[in-house]
C-alpha cells in the first residue's frame, strides 16, 4: 500500500488480501469498519488542553482529501455535500438555535490546509502547513 499523502509504502499482510467484486472494490468492505467507517477518537488530558482546563465540548475534525484524483473522481463534491448535511443536523440542546458541537476541517493533498471559520470573520481563512513531518496546529480557535 502506498499512502497518497506521504508516499510511504507499507507491506500488506497476505491474510488481509481479499477478492474484489464486479465494481472493482473489495467484496468484504461492509464487514471491515476500517475500510468504510474511518474515524479516530482522541481524548486529551488536562495538561494537553488549552489553559489546562480539560475538555469543554465535543468536537469533530473532518480530514478531507483534496488531491487531483479526489476532485476528478467526484469524491470531493460528494464529501462536501454530505458534510453540509452533517453540519446542519448536529445535535442541539432543546430550544437551542445552534449546536454546541464544534466542527473543524483540514484538507490535504501533499500539504495540510487548516481553516479558521469563525463566525466573526468576513470569509474563512486558510493556513497551509507544508512541513508534514512535524505538524503543529496553527489555530487554537476557529
Amino acid at each position: 500500500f502506498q499512502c497518497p499523502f506521504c508516499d510511504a509504502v507499507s507491506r500488506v499482510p497476505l491474510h488481509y488480501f481479499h477478492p474484489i467484486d464486479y465494481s472493482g472494490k473489495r467484496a468484504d468492505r461492509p464487514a471491515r469498519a476500517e475500510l468504510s467507517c474511518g474515524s479516530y477518537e482522541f481524548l486529551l488530558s488536562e495538561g494537553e488542553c488549552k489553559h489546562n482546563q480539560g475538555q469543554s465540548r465535543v468536537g469533530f475534525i473532518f480530514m478531507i482529501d483534496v488531491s487531483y484524483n479526489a476532485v476528478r473522481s467526484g469524491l470531493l463534491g460528494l464529501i462536501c455535500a454530505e458534510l453540509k448535511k452533517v453540519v446542519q443536523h448536529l445535535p442541539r440542546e432543546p430550544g437551542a438555535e445552534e449546536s454546541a458541537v464544534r466542527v473543524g476541517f483540514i484538507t490535504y493533498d501533499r500539504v495540510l490546509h487548516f481553516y479558521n471559520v469563525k463566525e466573526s470573520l468576513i470569509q474563512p481563512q486558510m493556513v497551509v502547513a507544508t512541513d508534514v513531518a512535524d505538524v503543529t496546529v496553527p489555530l487554537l480557535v476557529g
Side-chain angles (χ1 to χ4, degrees), residues 42-46 48-59 93 100-102 140-141:
F42 296 98
L43 300 175
L44 302 178
S45 67
E46 262 190 42
E48 295 172 310
C49 293
K50 185 179 175 185
H51 305 299
N52 295 329
Q53 293 177 349
Q55 296 181 12
S56 57
R57 296 190 294 178
V58 173
E93 294 291 327
V101 176
R102 298 184 314 178
L140 289 178
V141 294

Side-chain angles (χ1 to χ4, degrees), residues 14-15 28 37 54-55 57 60 63-64 67 74 80 82 99:
L14 285 176
H15 71 273
D28 66 341
C37 302
Q55 296 181 12
R57 296 190 294 178
F60 294 105
M63 298 284 297
I64 305 166
S67 65
C80 290
E82 292 303 313
S99 175

Side-chain angles (χ1 to χ4, degrees), residues 52-121:
N52 295 329
Q53 293 177 349
Q55 296 181 12
S56 57
R57 296 190 294 178
V58 173
F60 294 105
I61 298 177
F62 294 98
M63 298 284 297
I64 305 166
D65 181 357
V66 293
S67 65
Y68 173 77
N69 286 335
V71 174
R72 189 183 66 162
S73 70
L75 179 62
L76 180 59
L78 176 67
I79 288 172
C80 290
E82 292 303 313
L83 280 177
K84 186 176 179 180
K85 292 177 192 175
V86 167
V87 170
Q88 290 172 343
H89 293 94
L90 289 171
R92 294 179 172 86
E93 294 291 327
E97 228 175 90
E98 294 182 3
S99 175
V101 176
R102 298 184 314 178
V103 176
F105 302 95
I106 301 172
T107 56
Y108 64 92
D109 47 16
R110 295 278 177 210
V111 297
L112 295 173
H113 314 96
F114 295 88
Y115 297 90
N116 184 352
V117 292
K118 285 174 66 172
E119 200 172 343
S120 61
L121 295 172

